[in-house]
Amino acid sequence: MVAADPSPIPWTTIGWVASWYGSNIGVLLLNKYLLTNYGFKYPIFLTLCHMTACSLLSYVAIAFMRVVPMQSVRSKIQLAKIAGLSVVFCFSVVCGNVSLRYLPVSFNQAIGATTPFFTAVLAFLMIKKREEWVTYSTLIPVVAGVIIASGGEPSFHLLGFIMCISATAARAFKSVLQEILLSSDGEKLNSMNLLLYMAPIAVICLLPATIIMEKNVVGITLDLARNDIKLIWYLLFNSSLAYFVNLTNFLVTKHTSALTLQVLGNAKGAVAVVVSILIFKNPVSFLGMLGYGLTVVGVILYSEAKKRYSS
């Protein structure tokens, strides 16, 4: 009996994957352009704009467009847990935006690819979650790749490197924390509803931080906008893209699987590196690209090992 041909991938799924790639790479490149080439040196305010847009657009998407059913917060304890996640989420986004002031996107993505390493280490330390030794061994090229890439990076900047490592570790910490805090069936929220509640809390956290650390940023932004109105459009478009990254991420997962999303994410990082080098023309070395390639190979091996030994 001849096996039936596999079903073709629906155009809707292809469309959502393309949208996810476009919004993800777009917000990354636009962040870089605003914070370095354009000279808008206010990463905390930029993150505040992102979170404000996520708050408003999340509500519109869920309450009016009904992209997903609205899930309610059931207790003050659950709200406190969401607030904790929001603070960590905030920290990771701010650190990521600060790092883009000092590092090229290519190196930023190389460091960001080490998220599985931090997730595995934190899961072991916090919840005693053990993986097979084969799975842990695949993390060696992940870390080795970043060490090689750091040594061969012409635009290496220590503060940018520390901020990027902090952002990556914070993303991993949020994943593990989310598994701990929202593990019961009554507390689980899908990613869109979680963003709906996290984003306004992030705004509340970022507002005083912006006022204290980036004094008179609103006045400065308005003065810059009087000279170049495009700045306002850049900020509005950039903030909207930040929300669509989350929306398309959810929809790609819904139409494929979490594992497929991981594979697509690895490829997306490579695409972002190539596009950023073409646009910003930042210098890259053979050693840097070799290190990044080794990290990506390590992440792919890690994903395969997780799939094989957890099934």
Side-chain angles (χ1 to χ4, degrees), residues 275-298:
V275 173
S276 71
I277 292 170
L278 292 173
I279 291 176
F280 296 112
K281 304 189 186 306
N282 56 282
V284 289
S285 66
F286 172 75
L287 201 59
M289 293 308 293
L290 179 67
Y292 178 68
L294 184 61
T295 295
V296 171
V297 169

Side-chain angles (χ1 to χ4, degrees), residues 6 8 10 56 68-69 77 104 108 117 119 145 163 166 185 230-231 287 291:
L56 297 172
V68 292
I77 294 174
N108 179 282
F117 167 77
T119 304
M163 287 292 102
S166 300
D185 291 335
K230 290 198 298 290
L231 175 62
L287 201 59

Side-chain angles (χ1 to χ4, degrees), residues 9 104 107 148 162 184 254:
I9 301 172
F107 190 42
I148 292 169
I162 292 169
S184 66
K254 181 180 176 182

Side-chain angles (χ1 to χ4, degrees), residues 115-125 127-139 176 179 262 301-311:
T115 302
F117 167 77
F118 288 101
T119 304
V121 170
L122 289 171
F124 176 75
L125 293 174
I127 56 176
K128 307 300 180 189
K129 184 177 180 181
R130 296 176 182 271
E131 305 288 354
E132 295 290 333
W133 69 268
V134 176
T135 306
Y136 284 124
S137 68
T138 62
L139 294 172
V176 178
E179 189 176 339
Q262 267 191 329
L301 291 173
Y302 175 79
S303 300
E304 285 298 312
K306 284 274 288 183
K307 181 176 68 174
R308 180 173 298 181
Y309 291 102
S310 61
S311 58

